[in-house]
mmCIF file of all heavy atoms in Angstrom:
data_model
loop_
_atom_site.group_PDB
_atom_site.id
_atom_site.type_symbol
_atom_site.label_atom_id
_atom_site.label_comp_id
_atom_site.label_asym_id
_atom_site.label_seq_id
_atom_site.Cartn_x
_atom_site.Cartn_y
_atom_site.Cartn_z
ATOM 1 N N GLN A 85 97.672 10.831 225.916
ATOM 2 C CA GLN A 85 97.926 11.661 227.083
ATOM 3 C C GLN A 85 97.625 13.125 226.796
ATOM 4 O O GLN A 85 97.077 13.843 227.646
ATOM 5 C CB GLN A 85 99.396 11.508 227.509
ATOM 6 C CG GLN A 85 99.752 12.280 228.780
ATOM 7 C CD GLN A 85 98.996 11.754 229.981
ATOM 8 O OE1 GLN A 85 98.718 10.565 230.071
ATOM 9 N NE2 GLN A 85 98.660 12.651 230.903
ATOM 10 N N ASN A 86 97.974 13.584 225.576
ATOM 11 C CA ASN A 86 97.705 14.977 225.204
ATOM 12 C C ASN A 86 96.206 15.256 225.200
ATOM 13 O O ASN A 86 95.746 16.327 225.601
ATOM 14 C CB ASN A 86 98.299 15.286 223.832
ATOM 15 C CG ASN A 86 99.812 15.291 223.863
ATOM 16 O OD1 ASN A 86 100.407 15.519 224.928
ATOM 17 N ND2 ASN A 86 100.446 15.032 222.725
ATOM 18 N N SER A 87 95.437 14.270 224.724
ATOM 19 C CA SER A 87 93.986 14.437 224.702
ATOM 20 C C SER A 87 93.426 14.553 226.113
ATOM 21 O O SER A 87 92.544 15.378 226.389
ATOM 22 C CB SER A 87 93.338 13.258 223.975
ATOM 23 O OG SER A 87 91.930 13.351 223.994
ATOM 24 N N ILE A 88 93.944 13.747 227.028
ATOM 25 C CA ILE A 88 93.497 13.810 228.421
ATOM 26 C C ILE A 88 93.859 15.148 229.035
ATOM 27 O O ILE A 88 93.066 15.762 229.765
ATOM 28 C CB ILE A 88 94.093 12.646 229.224
ATOM 29 C CG1 ILE A 88 93.559 11.311 228.700
ATOM 30 C CG2 ILE A 88 93.769 12.808 230.714
ATOM 31 C CD1 ILE A 88 94.184 10.104 229.385
ATOM 32 N N ASP A 89 95.075 15.617 228.747
ATOM 33 C CA ASP A 89 95.508 16.905 229.283
ATOM 34 C C ASP A 89 94.619 18.032 228.774
ATOM 35 O O ASP A 89 94.260 18.950 229.525
ATOM 36 C CB ASP A 89 96.962 17.166 228.898
ATOM 37 C CG ASP A 89 97.911 16.202 229.622
ATOM 38 O OD1 ASP A 89 97.483 15.615 230.634
ATOM 39 O OD2 ASP A 89 99.045 16.042 229.148
ATOM 40 N N LEU A 90 94.270 17.998 227.499
ATOM 41 C CA LEU A 90 93.402 19.035 226.940
ATOM 42 C C LEU A 90 92.015 18.995 227.565
ATOM 43 O O LEU A 90 91.412 20.027 227.874
ATOM 44 C CB LEU A 90 93.301 18.868 225.416
ATOM 45 C CG LEU A 90 94.561 19.198 224.620
ATOM 46 C CD1 LEU A 90 94.359 18.887 223.139
ATOM 47 C CD2 LEU A 90 94.929 20.678 224.796
ATOM 48 N N ASP A 91 91.486 17.805 227.777
ATOM 49 C CA ASP A 91 90.168 17.680 228.412
ATOM 50 C C ASP A 91 90.209 18.203 229.848
ATOM 51 O O ASP A 91 89.270 18.872 230.307
ATOM 52 C CB ASP A 91 89.726 16.220 228.410
ATOM 53 C CG ASP A 91 89.415 15.709 227.006
ATOM 54 O OD1 ASP A 91 89.190 16.567 226.118
ATOM 55 O OD2 ASP A 91 89.398 14.472 226.809
ATOM 56 N N GLU A 92 91.294 17.902 230.545
ATOM 57 C CA GLU A 92 91.432 18.369 231.924
ATOM 58 C C GLU A 92 91.542 19.900 231.968
ATOM 59 O O GLU A 92 90.944 20.563 232.829
ATOM 60 C CB GLU A 92 92.658 17.729 232.564
ATOM 61 C CG GLU A 92 92.910 18.139 234.016
ATOM 62 C CD GLU A 92 91.813 17.651 234.944
ATOM 63 O OE1 GLU A 92 91.059 16.734 234.568
ATOM 64 O OE2 GLU A 92 91.728 18.196 236.069
ATOM 65 N N ALA A 93 92.280 20.478 231.028
ATOM 66 C CA ALA A 93 92.425 21.935 230.962
ATOM 67 C C ALA A 93 91.091 22.598 230.650
ATOM 68 O O ALA A 93 90.742 23.636 231.216
ATOM 69 C CB ALA A 93 93.474 22.308 229.908
ATOM 70 N N ALA A 94 90.330 21.982 229.741
ATOM 71 C CA ALA A 94 89.007 22.541 229.393
ATOM 72 C C ALA A 94 88.072 22.462 230.595
ATOM 73 O O ALA A 94 87.291 23.381 230.859
ATOM 74 C CB ALA A 94 88.420 21.791 228.201
ATOM 75 N N ARG A 95 88.145 21.350 231.341
ATOM 76 C CA ARG A 95 87.285 21.195 232.515
ATOM 77 C C ARG A 95 87.614 22.247 233.570
ATOM 78 O O ARG A 95 86.725 22.868 234.158
ATOM 79 C CB ARG A 95 87.453 19.796 233.092
ATOM 80 C CG ARG A 95 86.505 19.479 234.249
ATOM 81 C CD ARG A 95 86.811 18.113 234.847
ATOM 82 N NE ARG A 95 88.139 18.086 235.442
ATOM 83 C CZ ARG A 95 88.408 18.571 236.652
ATOM 84 N NH1 ARG A 95 87.455 19.142 237.380
ATOM 85 N NH2 ARG A 95 89.635 18.502 237.130
ATOM 86 N N ARG A 96 88.921 22.458 233.805
ATOM 87 C CA ARG A 96 89.329 23.443 234.801
ATOM 88 C C ARG A 96 88.941 24.851 234.361
ATOM 89 O O ARG A 96 88.508 25.676 235.193
ATOM 90 C CB ARG A 96 90.836 23.363 235.020
ATOM 91 C CG ARG A 96 91.285 22.081 235.722
ATOM 92 C CD ARG A 96 92.790 22.060 235.898
ATOM 93 N NE ARG A 96 93.231 20.848 236.593
ATOM 94 C CZ ARG A 96 94.505 20.561 236.837
ATOM 95 N NH1 ARG A 96 95.469 21.412 236.456
ATOM 96 N NH2 ARG A 96 94.811 19.445 237.475
ATOM 97 N N ALA A 97 89.097 25.131 233.076
ATOM 98 C CA ALA A 97 88.703 26.453 232.569
ATOM 99 C C ALA A 97 87.208 26.677 232.736
ATOM 100 O O ALA A 97 86.753 27.764 233.101
ATOM 101 C CB ALA A 97 89.105 26.592 231.105
ATOM 102 N N ARG A 98 86.423 25.613 232.478
ATOM 103 C CA ARG A 98 84.977 25.715 232.624
ATOM 104 C C ARG A 98 84.595 25.918 234.091
ATOM 105 O O ARG A 98 83.709 26.723 234.415
ATOM 106 C CB ARG A 98 84.312 24.468 232.067
ATOM 107 C CG ARG A 98 82.788 24.529 232.034
ATOM 108 C CD ARG A 98 82.204 23.476 231.103
ATOM 109 N NE ARG A 98 82.719 22.149 231.408
ATOM 110 C CZ ARG A 98 83.588 21.476 230.629
ATOM 111 N NH1 ARG A 98 84.019 22.032 229.509
ATOM 112 N NH2 ARG A 98 84.009 20.272 230.966
ATOM 113 N N GLU A 99 85.259 25.211 234.996
ATOM 114 C CA GLU A 99 84.980 25.386 236.420
ATOM 115 C C GLU A 99 85.351 26.795 236.884
ATOM 116 O O GLU A 99 84.636 27.401 237.685
ATOM 117 C CB GLU A 99 85.758 24.347 237.226
ATOM 118 C CG GLU A 99 85.246 22.927 237.046
ATOM 119 C CD GLU A 99 86.082 21.925 237.825
ATOM 120 O OE1 GLU A 99 87.133 22.338 238.366
ATOM 121 O OE2 GLU A 99 85.689 20.733 237.897
ATOM 122 N N LEU A 100 86.498 27.294 236.394
ATOM 123 C CA LEU A 100 86.899 28.654 236.749
ATOM 124 C C LEU A 100 85.893 29.674 236.231
ATOM 125 O O LEU A 100 85.528 30.626 236.926
ATOM 126 C CB LEU A 100 88.292 28.940 236.170
ATOM 127 C CG LEU A 100 88.844 30.351 236.408
ATOM 128 C CD1 LEU A 100 89.000 30.620 237.903
ATOM 129 C CD2 LEU A 100 90.187 30.520 235.688
ATOM 130 N N TYR A 101 85.439 29.432 235.004
ATOM 131 C CA TYR A 101 84.441 30.314 234.387
ATOM 132 C C TYR A 101 83.163 30.348 235.224
ATOM 133 O O TYR A 101 82.616 31.408 235.547
ATOM 134 C CB TYR A 101 84.163 29.825 232.966
ATOM 135 C CG TYR A 101 83.056 30.534 232.237
ATOM 136 C CD1 TYR A 101 83.281 31.742 231.584
ATOM 137 C CD2 TYR A 101 81.778 29.985 232.187
ATOM 138 C CE1 TYR A 101 82.263 32.385 230.899
ATOM 139 C CE2 TYR A 101 80.756 30.617 231.504
ATOM 140 C CZ TYR A 101 81.002 31.819 230.863
ATOM 141 O OH TYR A 101 79.996 32.449 230.199
ATOM 142 N N GLU A 102 82.674 29.170 235.623
ATOM 143 C CA GLU A 102 81.435 29.092 236.392
ATOM 144 C C GLU A 102 81.608 29.670 237.792
ATOM 145 O O GLU A 102 80.696 30.315 238.327
ATOM 146 C CB GLU A 102 80.975 27.636 236.470
ATOM 147 C CG GLU A 102 80.542 27.062 235.122
ATOM 148 C CD GLU A 102 80.198 25.581 235.210
ATOM 149 O OE1 GLU A 102 80.440 24.984 236.297
ATOM 150 O OE2 GLU A 102 79.702 25.017 234.222
ATOM 151 N N SER A 103 82.784 29.441 238.408
ATOM 152 C CA SER A 103 83.006 29.978 239.753
ATOM 153 C C SER A 103 83.044 31.500 239.734
ATOM 154 O O SER A 103 82.524 32.155 240.651
ATOM 155 C CB SER A 103 84.307 29.424 240.335
ATOM 156 O OG SER A 103 85.425 29.867 239.582
ATOM 157 N N ARG A 104 83.639 32.061 238.688
ATOM 158 C CA ARG A 104 83.677 33.526 238.591
ATOM 159 C C ARG A 104 82.277 34.101 238.409
ATOM 160 O O ARG A 104 81.944 35.152 238.966
ATOM 161 C CB ARG A 104 84.584 33.947 237.432
ATOM 162 C CG ARG A 104 86.067 33.743 237.710
ATOM 163 C CD ARG A 104 86.913 34.517 236.729
ATOM 164 N NE ARG A 104 88.320 34.454 237.063
ATOM 165 C CZ ARG A 104 89.256 35.183 236.446
ATOM 166 N NH1 ARG A 104 88.911 36.003 235.476
ATOM 167 N NH2 ARG A 104 90.510 35.082 236.821
ATOM 168 N N ILE A 105 81.474 33.416 237.612
ATOM 169 C CA ILE A 105 80.104 33.878 237.422
ATOM 170 C C ILE A 105 79.338 33.830 238.741
ATOM 171 O O ILE A 105 78.618 34.776 239.098
ATOM 172 C CB ILE A 105 79.391 33.027 236.355
ATOM 173 C CG1 ILE A 105 79.984 33.308 234.967
ATOM 174 C CG2 ILE A 105 77.884 33.311 236.351
ATOM 175 C CD1 ILE A 105 79.337 32.512 233.873
ATOM 176 N N ASN A 106 79.489 32.743 239.480
ATOM 177 C CA ASN A 106 78.773 32.605 240.749
ATOM 178 C C ASN A 106 79.220 33.667 241.751
ATOM 179 O O ASN A 106 78.397 34.260 242.460
ATOM 180 C CB ASN A 106 78.997 31.209 241.331
ATOM 181 C CG ASN A 106 78.350 30.121 240.485
ATOM 182 O OD1 ASN A 106 77.365 30.361 239.798
ATOM 183 N ND2 ASN A 106 78.913 28.927 240.518
ATOM 184 N N VAL A 107 80.531 33.893 241.825
ATOM 185 C CA VAL A 107 81.038 34.915 242.743
ATOM 186 C C VAL A 107 80.538 36.294 242.335
ATOM 187 O O VAL A 107 80.111 37.113 243.167
ATOM 188 C CB VAL A 107 82.576 34.883 242.784
ATOM 189 C CG1 VAL A 107 83.118 36.077 243.563
ATOM 190 C CG2 VAL A 107 83.060 33.585 243.413
ATOM 191 N N GLY A 108 80.582 36.555 241.020
ATOM 192 C CA GLY A 108 80.109 37.847 240.531
ATOM 193 C C GLY A 108 78.632 38.072 240.827
ATOM 194 O O GLY A 108 78.225 39.163 241.245
ATOM 195 N N MET A 109 77.819 37.052 240.629
ATOM 196 C CA MET A 109 76.393 37.163 240.912
ATOM 197 C C MET A 109 76.147 37.388 242.395
ATOM 198 O O MET A 109 75.271 38.169 242.794
ATOM 199 C CB MET A 109 75.668 35.906 240.440
ATOM 200 C CG MET A 109 75.672 35.710 238.934
ATOM 201 S SD MET A 109 74.681 36.944 238.068
ATOM 202 C CE MET A 109 73.041 36.447 238.587
ATOM 203 N N ALA A 110 76.921 36.704 243.240
ATOM 204 C CA ALA A 110 76.740 36.856 244.687
ATOM 205 C C ALA A 110 77.128 38.253 245.161
ATOM 206 O O ALA A 110 76.476 38.833 246.045
ATOM 207 C CB ALA A 110 77.567 35.806 245.429
ATOM 208 N N LEU A 111 78.184 38.811 244.582
ATOM 209 C CA LEU A 111 78.653 40.128 245.006
ATOM 210 C C LEU A 111 77.780 41.258 244.464
ATOM 211 O O LEU A 111 77.532 42.254 245.160
ATOM 212 C CB LEU A 111 80.105 40.336 244.556
ATOM 213 C CG LEU A 111 81.162 39.454 245.232
ATOM 214 C CD1 LEU A 111 82.525 39.700 244.608
ATOM 215 C CD2 LEU A 111 81.206 39.728 246.733
ATOM 216 N N THR A 112 77.337 41.113 243.239
ATOM 217 C CA THR A 112 76.586 42.211 242.607
ATOM 218 C C THR A 112 75.081 42.060 242.736
ATOM 219 O O THR A 112 74.343 42.993 242.401
ATOM 220 C CB THR A 112 76.944 42.288 241.113
ATOM 221 O OG1 THR A 112 76.560 41.055 240.461
ATOM 222 C CG2 THR A 112 78.431 42.509 240.920
ATOM 223 N N GLY A 113 74.602 40.903 243.212
ATOM 224 C CA GLY A 113 73.156 40.669 243.287
ATOM 225 C C GLY A 113 72.392 41.736 244.060
ATOM 226 O O GLY A 113 71.447 42.336 243.537
ATOM 227 N N PRO A 114 72.773 42.029 245.333
ATOM 228 C CA PRO A 114 72.043 43.054 246.090
ATOM 229 C C PRO A 114 72.085 44.431 245.437
ATOM 230 O O PRO A 114 71.087 45.158 245.455
ATOM 231 C CB PRO A 114 72.767 43.054 247.446
ATOM 232 C CG PRO A 114 73.417 41.714 247.531
ATOM 233 C CD PRO A 114 73.800 41.364 246.132
ATOM 234 N N HIS A 115 73.240 44.781 244.876
ATOM 235 C CA HIS A 115 73.350 46.089 244.233
ATOM 236 C C HIS A 115 72.478 46.159 242.986
ATOM 237 O O HIS A 115 71.844 47.194 242.713
ATOM 238 C CB HIS A 115 74.816 46.359 243.865
ATOM 239 C CG HIS A 115 75.739 46.365 245.045
ATOM 240 N ND1 HIS A 115 75.752 47.381 245.977
ATOM 241 C CD2 HIS A 115 76.663 45.462 245.458
ATOM 242 C CE1 HIS A 115 76.650 47.119 246.909
ATOM 243 N NE2 HIS A 115 77.225 45.959 246.614
ATOM 244 N N ARG A 116 72.437 45.082 242.226
ATOM 245 C CA ARG A 116 71.596 45.069 241.032
ATOM 246 C C ARG A 116 70.119 45.157 241.392
ATOM 247 O O ARG A 116 69.333 45.814 240.717
ATOM 248 C CB ARG A 116 71.876 43.802 240.207
ATOM 249 C CG ARG A 116 73.232 43.824 239.493
ATOM 250 C CD ARG A 116 73.405 42.660 238.539
ATOM 251 N NE ARG A 116 73.483 41.395 239.258
ATOM 252 C CZ ARG A 116 72.523 40.477 239.292
ATOM 253 N NH1 ARG A 116 71.370 40.705 238.671
ATOM 254 N NH2 ARG A 116 72.684 39.339 239.952
ATOM 255 N N GLU A 117 69.722 44.499 242.474
ATOM 256 C CA GLU A 117 68.320 44.547 242.913
ATOM 257 C C GLU A 117 67.947 45.958 243.363
ATOM 258 O O GLU A 117 66.867 46.473 243.038
ATOM 259 C CB GLU A 117 68.104 43.554 244.046
ATOM 260 C CG GLU A 117 66.657 43.405 244.465
ATOM 261 C CD GLU A 117 65.799 42.778 243.387
ATOM 262 O OE1 GLU A 117 66.354 42.081 242.503
ATOM 263 O OE2 GLU A 117 64.576 43.008 243.405
ATOM 264 N N THR A 118 68.864 46.599 244.117
ATOM 265 C CA THR A 118 68.614 47.971 244.546
ATOM 266 C C THR A 118 68.531 48.922 243.362
ATOM 267 O O THR A 118 67.650 49.788 243.295
ATOM 268 C CB THR A 118 69.728 48.435 245.503
ATOM 269 O OG1 THR A 118 69.770 47.555 246.633
ATOM 270 C CG2 THR A 118 69.479 49.849 245.980
ATOM 271 N N ALA A 119 69.446 48.755 242.418
ATOM 272 C CA ALA A 119 69.435 49.609 241.227
ATOM 273 C C ALA A 119 68.168 49.399 240.406
ATOM 274 O O ALA A 119 67.586 50.345 239.877
ATOM 275 C CB ALA A 119 70.672 49.322 240.371
ATOM 276 N N LYS A 120 67.716 48.152 240.318
ATOM 277 C CA LYS A 120 66.493 47.847 239.575
ATOM 278 C C LYS A 120 65.292 48.523 240.205
ATOM 279 O O LYS A 120 64.479 49.158 239.513
ATOM 280 C CB LYS A 120 66.290 46.337 239.524
ATOM 281 C CG LYS A 120 65.020 45.916 238.801
ATOM 282 C CD LYS A 120 64.829 44.412 238.850
ATOM 283 C CE LYS A 120 63.504 44.017 238.192
ATOM 284 N NZ LYS A 120 63.283 42.550 238.263
ATOM 285 N N ASN A 121 65.154 48.427 241.531
ATOM 286 C CA ASN A 121 64.026 49.047 242.221
ATOM 287 C C ASN A 121 64.058 50.566 242.091
ATOM 288 O O ASN A 121 63.016 51.205 241.882
ATOM 289 C CB ASN A 121 64.027 48.641 243.698
ATOM 290 C CG ASN A 121 63.794 47.154 243.890
ATOM 291 O OD1 ASN A 121 63.189 46.503 243.050
ATOM 292 N ND2 ASN A 121 64.273 46.612 244.999
ATOM 293 N N ALA A 122 65.254 51.140 242.230
ATOM 294 C CA ALA A 122 65.374 52.592 242.112
ATOM 295 C C ALA A 122 65.048 53.061 240.699
ATOM 296 O O ALA A 122 64.395 54.093 240.514
ATOM 297 C CB ALA A 122 66.786 53.030 242.499
ATOM 298 N N THR A 123 65.486 52.300 239.710
ATOM 299 C CA THR A 123 65.198 52.666 238.325
ATOM 300 C C THR A 123 63.706 52.611 238.031
ATOM 301 O O THR A 123 63.137 53.509 237.392
ATOM 302 C CB THR A 123 65.951 51.729 237.364
ATOM 303 O OG1 THR A 123 67.360 51.837 237.608
ATOM 304 C CG2 THR A 123 65.670 52.101 235.913
ATOM 305 N N GLU A 124 63.041 51.555 238.503
ATOM 306 C CA GLU A 124 61.601 51.434 238.293
ATOM 307 C C GLU A 124 60.844 52.577 238.969
ATOM 308 O O GLU A 124 59.891 53.128 238.398
ATOM 309 C CB GLU A 124 61.113 50.090 238.815
ATOM 310 C CG GLU A 124 61.610 48.896 238.003
ATOM 311 C CD GLU A 124 61.168 47.568 238.596
ATOM 312 O OE1 GLU A 124 60.626 47.583 239.730
ATOM 313 O OE2 GLU A 124 61.368 46.527 237.937
ATOM 314 N N ALA A 125 61.261 52.941 240.184
ATOM 315 C CA ALA A 125 60.605 54.045 240.893
ATOM 316 C C ALA A 125 60.828 55.372 240.174
ATOM 317 O O ALA A 125 59.905 56.198 240.067
ATOM 318 C CB ALA A 125 61.132 54.124 242.329
ATOM 319 N N ALA A 126 62.049 55.586 239.669
ATOM 320 C CA ALA A 126 62.343 56.827 238.956
ATOM 321 C C ALA A 126 61.542 56.929 237.658
ATOM 322 O O ALA A 126 61.026 58.001 237.315
ATOM 323 C CB ALA A 126 63.847 56.907 238.649
ATOM 324 N N ILE A 127 61.415 55.810 236.948
ATOM 325 C CA ILE A 127 60.639 55.813 235.709
ATOM 326 C C ILE A 127 59.172 56.108 236.000
ATOM 327 O O ILE A 127 58.521 56.910 235.293
ATOM 328 C CB ILE A 127 60.790 54.462 234.989
ATOM 329 C CG1 ILE A 127 62.229 54.289 234.483
ATOM 330 C CG2 ILE A 127 59.811 54.364 233.819
ATOM 331 C CD1 ILE A 127 62.506 52.920 233.911
#
Side-chain angles (χ1 to χ4, degrees):
Q85 183 64 33
N86 291 335
S87 177
I88 295 176
D89 291 342
L90 290 176
D91 291 341
E92 180 66 18
R95 185 185 64 81
R96 291 180 179 178
R98 186 163 52 251
E99 290 178 352
L100 178 62
Y101 174 83
E102 293 175 353
S103 65
R104 287 196 174 188
I105 291 180
N106 293 333
V107 171
M109 294 292 291
L111 292 176
T112 62
H115 300 288
R116 288 188 293 107
E117 187 67 22
T118 301
K120 179 183 177 181
N121 295 334
T123 300
E124 292 177 351
I127 292 173

